[in-house]
């Protein structure tokens, strides 16, 4: 079984303890308190962090010293037999994402277009932007990144399934896998490397692909001239270096990204997992603050990166008067392939 | 051509009668597991007068008459066990009146659920009726005749309790108005404050008369409907959870279901909770009440709310088509359920029995219980899917269903829409004086024993 590669000394001597001091869900008065709790987690002792962490993934971004505090918290919770969400929900996720041989693979050669286990991604990965790779779709639990189980503190599921998913891609003979789901890219890069799991193909982040395709088709872009608030997904915390791509893409298609309180490191997640883990009070509060913050920017659109966020927030943002749209659809709109509007 | 056929043609016209083999074949069976039996004639009347004449003829000639709506009750209730006439009521499908202020509708005896739903949606969008999850082609009168349940049963009781008046053709040919319409033009009460005569026809499965008109309560149709899905893996907690939920007095409908397939549902019990409101605030308030009521199970990690985003469309359907999909899991499109009415306390024992029967008879199960009247009881369905082209599988399902009924009776439950054998089991077990009363009623109303014979055979 793979093990989390953890640099204990790096933690022990950490001057910031940013992982916990910046946490939006657990408050600490001072550095020594936060650091002390993290060290308890490191030593495998009980800590309030194990009971209060809302599983937002953010400390993966806050730690700038190469450690993986959130994976460790999840490991420790599992070691203690703890459940973050109710047990039946945890097991349901495990069952729902179980490989059952019901996958779909298109004409894959050296490149695959990974749609994870999210049907909406198959629709997004079409049109001029994806014309060379759209037929190379890989979809299903067999190709799904198992990162979601970190929310449920079931790292064992990840360690068991991730090598199989990687192997499934390898069997297709691919050199590159374009990940349409943010979380897949995060899994093949950040999680795999934290656990020393070899990924023998090149994972490509779809926003890198999108940016380069849009640059290639620059002449065809009709700037949209709109303002859009961005909903950053939890999984993007695993790959913070990719976050600036959003602005680059939106700049290119004439979409203004207004400043708001909950952006960048201070962003708020879509809240749906919080609903399972902590109940509706926290989830409603997070969603309300997040959406009000979007509204006060005067944005016309809410632009999504992750279809799961889009599915949980679309109706809610629409009720606040914003149009929900995926960033790929915004690009398609700029190319004139798609009507301006809601999807 | 026989004299009877001629007489029938005289009553309903040529297009309203058939005795061609292919048609008789269709009317000899239902989608359940009971053995088919051919009728002699299929007759489709259009008016009460035609029904009356058919019954008089049948009485004179001692021919069985089996009233039929859509034939979807699954337990062989419209299989003409002793031949005779299948009286297909579907051409009597008019909506006669909607009294919006008194919130009732009057429809003909063959009007389907779908027709009334569409009519209300178009003309009275502020009103609705308690639609069952049966196919929309099933009929309102038949549903009342078998004490059906629908979307508003959790709040207001069995659909038969929503009846506000009847017009019935008695087995001897008299046309009888029951309830307030027997005194005046209004169809607002089936009985009270008089003796409630509707009980002579509701639950009798067409063995005491033919309903030609039926009044039905309508209810407010709130602007917004929403749903939550609570799951737990502890069956022992279900009665308590349901008790807490019904205490809220805010839920439209509550269904508890469990099934081994697809895998995502395995191991859990699902409670689908519907609530309605006229504003977003009302919905949000009700949702919070539901969540708060079950917070303790979330804290103990024994239960939680599942995200319904991807299933919402399916869950919100009325009727829910997904129920019928189950029939095709083993391929071959057969499914039948036993649906005893029982107390909620017994949920765990019934749940264990379903799993035991499915394993014993090697059949695929699904179970869904619907709460009735704020939790006074529930309909616990024990459903088995089967391949209609696999007689051995059908026999196994039949045995499993028989055993389920025996179990329900042992547990003090009442089999719902019982087939003729289950009716016998009920009569054997019931209080002897109650059985005598049943005999008195049936023998007086139907002296020739022509109405749906084989069913509620009180004399055998
Ligand atoms: C997928 C599926 C889901 C279902 N879900 C539900 C549900 O949620 N709730 C529910 O209650 N049922 C449900 N059912 C069972 C059944 O379909 C319904 O109860 C339905 O209302 C039966 O109507 P029908 O017109 O098909 O009745 P039929 O089978 O035609 O008749 C039923 C009984 O009523 C008698 N009858 C018919 N018409 C008259 C009349 N005019 N006068 C006197 N007696 C008459 C018949 O002789 C028979 O005994 C379901 C069935 C299926 C297949
Ligand atoms: S996880 Fe990172 S930020 Fe937190 S204490 Fe360790 S080194 Fe510091
Ligand atoms: S995952 Fe989020 S909630 Fe949990 S400790 Fe890290 S930052 Fe805090």
């Amino acid at each position: 079984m793979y093990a989390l590669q953890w640099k204990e000394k790096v933690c022990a001597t950490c001057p910031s303890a940013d992982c916990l001091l910046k946490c939006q869900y657990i408050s600490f008065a001072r550095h020594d308190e936060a650091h002390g709790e993290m060290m308890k987690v490191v030593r495998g002792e009980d800590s309030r962090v194990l009971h209060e962490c809302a599983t937002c993934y953010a400390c993966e971004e806050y730690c700038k010293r190469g450690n993986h505090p959130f994976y460790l918290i999840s490991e420790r919770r599992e070691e203690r037999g703890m459940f973050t969400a109710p047990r039946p929900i945890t097991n349901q996720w495990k069952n729902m994402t179980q490989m059952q041989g019901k996958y779909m693979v298109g004409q894959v050669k050296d490149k695959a277009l990974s749609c994870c286990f999210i049907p909406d991604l198959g629709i997004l990965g079409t049109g001029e932007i994806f014309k060379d790779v759209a037929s190379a779709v890989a979809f299903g639990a067999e190709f799904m990144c198992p990162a979601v189980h970190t929310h449920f503190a079931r790292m064992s599921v990840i360690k068991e399934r991730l090598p199989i998913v990687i192997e499934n891609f390898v069997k297709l003979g691919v050199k590159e896998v374009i990940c349409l789901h943010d979380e897949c890219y995060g899994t093949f890069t950040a999680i795999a490397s934290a656990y020393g799991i070899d990924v023998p193909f090149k994972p490509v982040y779809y926003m890198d692909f999108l940016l380069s395709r849009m640059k290639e088709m620059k002449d065809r872009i009709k700037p949209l001239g709109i303002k859009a608030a961005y909903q950053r997904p939890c999984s993007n915390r695993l790959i913070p270096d990719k976050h600036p791509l959003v602005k680059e893409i939106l700049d290119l298609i004439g979409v203004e990204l207004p400043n708001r309180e909950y952006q960048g490191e201070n962003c708020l997640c879509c809240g749906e997992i919080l609903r399972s883990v902590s109940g509706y009070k926290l989830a409603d509060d997070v969603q309300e603050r997040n959406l009000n913050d979007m509204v006060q920017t005067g944005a016309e659109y809410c632009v999504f990166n992750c279809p799961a966020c889009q599915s949980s927030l679309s109706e809610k943002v629409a009720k606040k008067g914003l149009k929900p749209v995926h960033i790929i659809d915004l690009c398609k709109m700029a190319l004139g392939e798609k009507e301006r509007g809601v999807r | 051509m026989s004299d009877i056929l001629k007489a029938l043609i005289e009553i309903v016209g040529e297009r309203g009668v058939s005795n061609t083999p292919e048609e008789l074949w269709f009317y000899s069976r239902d989608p359940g597991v009971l053995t088919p039996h051919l009728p002699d004639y299929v007759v489709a009347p259009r008016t009460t007068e035609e029904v009356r004449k058919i019954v008089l003829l049948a009485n004179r000639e001692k021919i069985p008459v089996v009233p039929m709506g859509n034939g979807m009750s699954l337990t062989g209730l419209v299989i003409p066990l002793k031949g005779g006439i299948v009286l297909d009521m579907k051409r009597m499908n008019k909506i006669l009146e909607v009294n919006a202020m008194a919130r009732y509708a009057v429809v003909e005896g063959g009007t389907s659920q779908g027709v009334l739903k569409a009519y209300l949606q178009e003309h009275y969008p502020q009103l609705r009726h308690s639609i069952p999850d049966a196919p929309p082609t099933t009929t309102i009168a038949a549903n009342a005749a078998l004490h059906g349940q629908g979307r508003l049963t959790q709040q207001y009781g069995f659909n038969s309790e929503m009846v506000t008046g009847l017009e019935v053709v008695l087995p001897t040919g008299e046309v009888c108005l029951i309830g307030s319409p027997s005194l005046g033009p209004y169809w607002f009460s089936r009985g009270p404050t008089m003796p409630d005569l509707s009980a002579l026809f509701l639950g009798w499965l067409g063995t005491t008369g033919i309903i030609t008109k039926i009044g039905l309560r309508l209810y407010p149709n709130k602007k917004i409907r929403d749903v939550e899905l609570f799951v737990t893996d502890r069956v022992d907690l279900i009665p308590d959870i349901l008790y807490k939920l019904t205490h809220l007095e805010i839920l439209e409908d509550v269904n508890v279901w469990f099934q081994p397939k697809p895998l995502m549902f395995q191991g859990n019990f699902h409670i689908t909770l519907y609530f309605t409101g006229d504003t977003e605030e009302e919905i949000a308030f009700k949702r919070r009440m539901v969540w708060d009521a079950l917070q303790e199970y979330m804290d103990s990690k024994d239960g939680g709310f599942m995200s319904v985003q991807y299933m919402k469309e399916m869950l919100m359907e009325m009727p829910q088509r997904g129920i019928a999909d189950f029939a095709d899991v083993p391929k071959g499109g057969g499914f039948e359920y036993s649906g005893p009415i029982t107390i909620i306390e017994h949920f765990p024992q019934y749940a264990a029995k379903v799993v035991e029967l499915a394993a014993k008879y090697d059949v695929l199960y699904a179970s869904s219980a619907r709460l009735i009247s704020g939790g006074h009881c529930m309909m616990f369905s024990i459903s088995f899917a089967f391949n209609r082209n696999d007689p051995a599988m059908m026999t196994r399902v039949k045995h499993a269903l028989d055993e389920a009924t025996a179990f329900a009776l042992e547990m003090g439950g009442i089999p719902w829409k019982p087939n003729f054998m289950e009716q016998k089991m009920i009569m054997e077990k019931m209080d002897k004086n109650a059985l005598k009363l049943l005999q008195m009623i049936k023998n007086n109303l139907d002296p020739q024993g022509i109405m749906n014979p084989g069913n509620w055979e009180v004399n055998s």
Side-chain angles (χ1 to χ4, degrees), chain A residues 83-89 91-96 98 100 102 118-120 272 275-281 284 307-308 311-313 315 319, chain B residues 226 228-229 231-234 262-268 270 280 287-289 291-292 295 297-298 300-307 309-310 312:
Chain A
F83 284 88
T84 56
R87 193 178 54 250
I89 300 278
N91 291 334
Q92 185 191 53
W93 271 94
K94 211 171 141 186
N95 284 341
M96 189 164 65
Q98 184 80 263
Q100 295 177 71
K102 294 177 185 165
I118 306 177
D120 286 358
E272 255 346 275
R275 201 172 291 279
S276 294
V277 171
S278 309
Y280 78 89
K281 287 185 183 116
D284 283 357
S311 156
S312 46
L313 284 182
E315 205 179 310
K319 280 183 184 153
Chain B
D226 216 333
E228 286 283 344
L229 192 48
V231 294
T232 179
D233 52 6
R234 282 190 52 189
L263 188 59
M264 73 175 282
F265 297 136
Q266 203 175 76
N268 284 340
H270 307 74
E280 290 293 345
R287 174 175 286 114
R288 281 199 301 275
M289 282 185 74
W291 276 70
D292 286 344
Q295 184 63 44
Y297 305 104
M298 291 187 67
S300 65
K301 307 290 182 195
D302 287 325
F305 288 89
M306 174 182 154
S307 167
Q309 288 148 33
Y310 291 103
K312 196 162 177 177

Side-chain angles (χ1 to χ4, degrees), chain B residues 237-309:
Chain B
L237 295 178
I238 299 275
D240 267 346
I241 293 174
L242 297 178
Y243 191 77
K244 291 195 171 83
L245 287 169
T246 47
H247 180 83
L248 299 174
E249 280 195 309
I250 55 166
L251 293 166
E252 176 209 64
D253 192 12
V254 180
N255 307 153
V256 194
W257 49 277
F258 61 101
Q259 55 192 59
K261 283 185 179 177
L263 188 59
M264 73 175 282
F265 297 136
Q266 203 175 76
N268 284 340
F269 297 86
H270 307 74
I271 308 180
T272 317
L273 305 156
Y274 295 91
F275 44 98
T276 59
D278 278 328
T279 60
E280 290 293 345
E281 288 73 33
E282 192 180 345
I283 289 287
F285 170 73
K286 288 182 175 171
R287 174 175 286 114
R288 281 199 301 275
M289 282 185 74
V290 167
W291 276 70
D292 286 344
L294 304 183
Q295 184 63 44
E296 64 181 277
Y297 305 104
M298 291 187 67
D299 294 342
S300 65
K301 307 290 182 195
D302 287 325
F305 288 89
M306 174 182 154
S307 167
V308 289
Q309 288 148 33

Side-chain angles (χ1 to χ4, degrees), chain A residues 6 10-11 14 16-20 35 38 62-65 67 69:
Chain A
W6 184 263
V10 173
C11 244
C14 180
S16 76
D18 270 349
C19 55
L20 293 183
H35 189 250
M38 194 61 213
Y62 301 150
C63 173
K64 303 285 191 249
R65 292 164 63 85
N67 262 341

Side-chain angles (χ1 to χ4, degrees), chain B residues 73-338:
Chain B
S73 43
L74 307 178
T75 44
L77 300 177
V78 294
I79 293 179
L81 299 171
K82 302 197 173 167
I85 297 170
V86 170
L87 198 69
D88 185 335
M89 297 294 289
K90 281 195 280 295
R91 293 208 295 179
M92 292 184 65
N93 62 359
K94 284 193 269 310
I95 290 164
L96 302 170
E97 184 195 347
V98 170
N99 186 327
M101 187 58 87
R103 291 201 183 102
Y104 67 73
V106 185
V107 302
E108 285 187 327
T111 308
S112 72
Q113 305 283 354
V115 162
L116 181 60
K117 183 185 169 197
Y119 185 84
L120 292 175
Q121 266 173 0
E122 193 179 340
H123 302 285
Y124 299 93
Q126 76 282 17
L127 293 172
R128 61 187 292 207
H129 77 292
S130 177
I131 194 159
D133 279 314
T137 43
T138 57
T139 62
I140 292 166
N143 192 251
L146 54 66
H147 290 310
Q149 312 99 43
R151 284 286 164 174
L152 297 174
T153 286
Q154 198 290 123
Q155 279 173 289
Y156 303 108
F158 286 95
N159 286 356
S160 48
E161 291 175 61
M162 299 169 190
V163 169
T164 61
L166 295 174
E167 180 192 83
V168 190
V169 175
L170 300 183
T172 39
E174 297 88 347
V175 179
C176 190
L177 279 167
I178 307 282
S180 58
S182 74
L183 295 175
Y186 305 110
W187 285 65
F188 61 86
S189 170
R190 62 204 267 168
T193 57
M194 303 174 292
D196 183 357
L197 295 177
S198 69
L200 298 175
F201 308 95
L202 304 176
W204 282 88
L205 310 174
T207 59
T208 50
I210 299 155
I211 300 168
T212 44
K213 286 183 193 146
I214 180 165
L216 197 69
R217 280 191 194 137
L218 303 176
Y219 298 91
N221 188 23
K222 299 277 212 168
K223 292 192 184 101
I224 312 170
R225 234 175 127 239
D226 216 333
V227 61
E228 286 283 344
L229 192 48
F230 187 79
V231 294
T232 179
D233 52 6
R234 282 190 52 189
V235 67
D236 57 311
L237 295 178
I238 299 275
D240 267 346
I241 293 174
L242 297 178
Y243 191 77
K244 291 195 171 83
L245 287 169
T246 47
H247 180 83
L248 299 174
E249 280 195 309
I250 55 166
L251 293 166
E252 176 209 64
D253 192 12
V254 180
N255 307 153
V256 194
W257 49 277
F258 61 101
Q259 55 192 59
K261 283 185 179 177
L263 188 59
M264 73 175 282
F265 297 136
Q266 203 175 76
N268 284 340
F269 297 86
H270 307 74
I271 308 180
T272 317
L273 305 156
Y274 295 91
F275 44 98
T276 59
D278 278 328
T279 60
E280 290 293 345
E281 288 73 33
E282 192 180 345
I283 289 287
F285 170 73
K286 288 182 175 171
R287 174 175 286 114
R288 281 199 301 275
M289 282 185 74
V290 167
W291 276 70
D292 286 344
L294 304 183
Q295 184 63 44
E296 64 181 277
Y297 305 104
M298 291 187 67
D299 294 342
S300 65
K301 307 290 182 195
D302 287 325
F305 288 89
M306 174 182 154
S307 167
V308 289
Q309 288 148 33
Y310 291 103
M311 291 168 67
K312 196 162 177 177
E313 212 174 303
M314 187 267 283
L315 291 172
M316 297 297 277
E317 273 185 337
M318 274 192 297
Q320 243 184 57
R321 276 174 297 181
I323 294 180
D325 291 349
F326 165 66
D328 226 24
V329 177
K331 299 295 165 208
F335 111 95
E336 184 170 332
Y337 63 97
S338 167

Side-chain angles (χ1 to χ4, degrees), chain A residues 20 23 25 53-59 70 73:
Chain A
L20 293 183
C23 172
Y25 301 96
C53 162
T55 81
C56 78
Y57 284 29
C59 44
F70 178 51
I73 293 167

